[in-house]
Amino acid sequence: MNRSDRLYALIQTLRDGRLHRASELAEAHGVSERTIWRDMDTLMASGVPVRGERGLGYRMTAPVTLPPLNLSMTELEALHLGLAAVAHGGDAELSAAARGLSARIDTLLPEDRTGARGGWTFAVHPLADAAAGFAHMPRIRAAIRSRQKLAAHHHEDDGSLLRRVIRPLQLDYWGRVWTVTCWCETTADFATLRVDRIEKLENLPALFVEEQGKTLVDFKNAGAA
């Protein structure tokens, strides 16, 4: 796992609001405690609402949610898709401008910045990698609206490719990284999948209805517990 993926994974772990010791995080992510200390320093310096210190542990003190922009999720998606295309074009001046604009947008995250210093600037994920999943976004959005089950061939953290049957519930933006929160029928549990790690996405003939324990509200309540 590269550093940007590990930082993202650490944020996902810390979202539960509980205290996590560096030794536990190091073991879970296959790195040294010293590496976790450096990662936590990076997150805190970037304005991610993480508090703690070496020897005691770390926890997230405020929710990381959607950006405070007057943009819809679809508009934000279009903006970053365009920036990714321009940033990797042949015009050096436009490329630099696109990267600068992306960095300025990143500083506006998250919506609730209580305790954050200057906003969330966690923008370590390359624009090109983030853009890899944009082709799946229209299908995911449509499936959320229509309650359509999907088959997602997703590259897991361990490098394996797993075909998951999912009920997509919500798209979230994490500073160049988009995720889909879903109920996964394959694992019988909630999952948060990186859209850029989905290799293939298929519509399934079945629709889903809300069932107790499998809704977005249930997911949020579980995270708050």
Side-chain angles (χ1 to χ4, degrees), residues 9 16 25 35 37 39-40 42 49 65 67 76 117 121-122 125 129 139 148 153 167 183 190-191 195 201-202 215 223:
D16 62 12
L25 295 170
T35 296
W37 295 340
D39 287 346
M40 290 302 166
T42 296
T65 56
L76 190 59
R117 291 168 293 176
T121 57
F122 178 57
H125 200 70
D129 291 350
R139 180 170 290 179
Q148 176 85 48
H153 299 252
R167 303 179 181 190
W183 173 261
F190 288 109
V195 175
L201 197 64
E202 307 167 88
T215 69

Side-chain angles (χ1 to χ4, degrees), residues 1 20 36 89-90 115 172 201 208 216 225:
M1 181 183 295
H20 294 268
I36 294 296
D172 285 300
L201 197 64
F208 65 89
L216 186 61

Side-chain angles (χ1 to χ4, degrees), residues 90-132:
D91 189 310
E93 185 176 359
L94 284 177
S95 176
R99 294 175 189 277
L101 179 56
S102 180
R104 289 173 64 186
I105 293 170
D106 292 330
T107 62
L108 298 177
L109 297 176
E111 181 180 40
D112 182 350
R113 293 191 287 176
T114 303
R117 291 168 293 176
W120 186 33
T121 57
F122 178 57
V124 299
H125 200 70
L127 278 169
D129 291 350

